Amino acid sequence: MDNAQKAIMIGVGLFITIIIIAAVMLITGIGQDLLNQGTEKAGNMSSQLQQQEVAPYDNTDMSGSQVTSAVRKYYNDTTMIVYYQPAKSNEYVCSTIKSAGALTSVGTEDRVNIDADTNIIDNPDQMTLGDLTSASKENYISPTSHYQARLLTVNDTTIIGIVFTRK
């Protein structure tokens, strides 16, 4: 009888262990699903916030002082690229840490699109903020100038920057 009782106790212990492991696996699976849903929601919120942040620059007319403010806002931002035409040139100047190759001309479309093959590189020619407001500098932005702001996208999907074209 003693051996049978021990066998039953071992069987019950093994059964309880299996139930505990199954419960832990179930809770872990539920937690993983919740974590995935939370990550997806956070990604959606981040995307919506970026859309709201760049909405004022989506095919709008702006003054030179608004362009100067935008350049200052994104000057040290590694996720946004800002191009503009200074008062003394028709060439585009990149004012941010990163640049998308060389932007030579912009058409009349609502957004400026670049190919995914275009490399986002460090901008060795980043000008100083003092160049924006000093009329004697070549990268000067006249506060009374008028600009057309357009979003810079990769393959018409991902917004990576802003392009200001002088009117």
Side-chain angles (χ1 to χ4, degrees):
M1 201 72 157
D2 201 27
N3 287 339
Q5 194 174 15
K6 283 183 180 180
I8 291 172
M9 293 295 271
I10 291 172
V12 169
L14 188 59
F15 183 69
I16 291 173
T17 303
I18 291 171
I19 289 175
I20 291 173
I21 290 173
V24 168
M25 294 296 286
L26 179 67
I27 291 170
T28 303
I30 292 170
Q32 188 67 35
D33 288 343
L34 289 174
L35 184 63
N36 289 341
Q37 288 175 358
T39 302
E40 185 178 323
K41 285 183 181 180
N44 289 341
M45 287 174 53
S46 174
S47 177
Q48 288 173 352
L49 287 174
Q50 183 191 22
Q51 289 289 345
Q52 287 177 353
E53 185 177 350
V54 297
Y57 308 111
D58 194 2
N59 201 24
T60 58
D61 292 333
M62 306 192 100
S63 69
S65 59
Q66 289 173 311
V67 173
T68 302
S69 294
V71 169
R72 288 179 187 206
K73 178 179 181 180
Y74 295 112
Y75 184 74
N76 288 320
D77 192 338
T78 59
T79 61
M80 288 293 281
I81 299 168
V82 178
Y83 286 98
Y84 72 94
Q85 288 179 310
K88 298 179 181 180
S89 172
N90 287 328
E91 297 293 320
Y92 286 89
V93 174
C94 183
S95 63
T96 47
I97 293 175
K98 298 286 184 180
S99 69
L103 188 67
T104 54
S105 65
V106 175
T108 57
E109 60 278 346
D110 291 347
R111 292 187 175 184
V112 178
N113 187 46
I114 60 172
D115 295 327
D117 297 340
T118 302
N119 293 327
I120 306 301
I121 57 174
D122 289 335
N123 181 13
D125 301 322
Q126 185 182 17
M127 43 52 134
T128 63
L129 287 175
D131 289 351
L132 298 172
T133 55
S134 177
S136 64
K137 301 289 184 174
E138 65 182 52
N139 294 328
Y140 171 66
I141 298 175
S142 172
T144 58
S145 296
H146 294 284
Y147 286 83
Q148 175 74 35
R150 296 187 202 147
L151 297 179
L152 180 63
T153 59
V154 175
N155 293 338
D156 288 325
T157 55
T158 306
I159 298 169
I160 62 165
I162 306 164
V163 177
F164 296 102
T165 303
R166 196 176 64 249
K167 289 181 154 188

